[in-house]
Amino acid sequence: MMNVLTALLQAQGGDYSFLIMMIAIFAIMYFFMIRPQNKKQKEIANFRKNLEVGQSVITAGGIYGKIKEIEDNVVVVEIASSVKIKVDRNSIYADAQAQANK
């Protein structure tokens, strides 16, 4: 690996600007794309871990409802009066409208 890197640098006449630019591009990608995505995934996982009965949620399919029961990986959501559906816990998201109305 070092031989390849050394050969690349010598082929450019010892110019380190290419290497510095590649490191800078990776750093920019990390801080503007990778890091925020990881942070958002952790927030969603934390939300799903702390689900409570009576909480307003949205399913991955866009169905609004309130949690009626919570089992291991299944959540029972009431979407209308006396209409309940079972939904996988991984397809539950926070209802931003309900959060804003609090």
Side-chain angles (χ1 to χ4, degrees):
M1 181 70 180
M2 288 300 286
N3 292 339
V4 173
L5 184 59
T6 306
L8 284 173
L9 292 175
Q10 287 176 351
Q12 294 178 345
D15 188 14
Y16 291 103
S17 64
F18 176 75
L19 184 61
I20 292 170
M21 189 154 52
M22 292 305 291
I23 292 171
I25 289 172
F26 179 75
I28 290 169
M29 284 180 55
Y30 176 77
F31 283 108
F32 287 106
M33 295 173 67
I34 298 169
R35 191 167 176 242
Q37 183 66 27
N38 288 343
K39 186 177 179 182
K40 187 172 183 173
Q41 285 176 346
K42 285 180 184 177
E43 289 174 2
I44 292 171
N46 189 37
F47 168 78
R48 288 177 181 156
K49 190 173 92 175
N50 298 320
L51 289 175
E52 298 175 353
V53 174
Q55 190 172 10
S56 293
V57 294
I58 303 174
T59 67
I63 300 171
Y64 289 78
K66 284 194 180 206
I67 296 176
K68 291 298 175 181
E69 296 177 36
I70 300 174
E71 298 170 12
D72 289 336
N73 286 328
V74 177
V75 178
V76 177
V77 179
E78 185 176 48
I79 58 174
S81 181
S82 300
V83 180
K84 298 176 185 175
I85 58 173
K86 287 186 177 182
V87 181
D88 186 69
R89 185 182 286 248
N90 291 327
S91 64
I92 297 285
Y93 295 96
D95 184 354
Q97 250 181 350
Q99 298 289 333
N101 291 338
K102 282 186 177 182

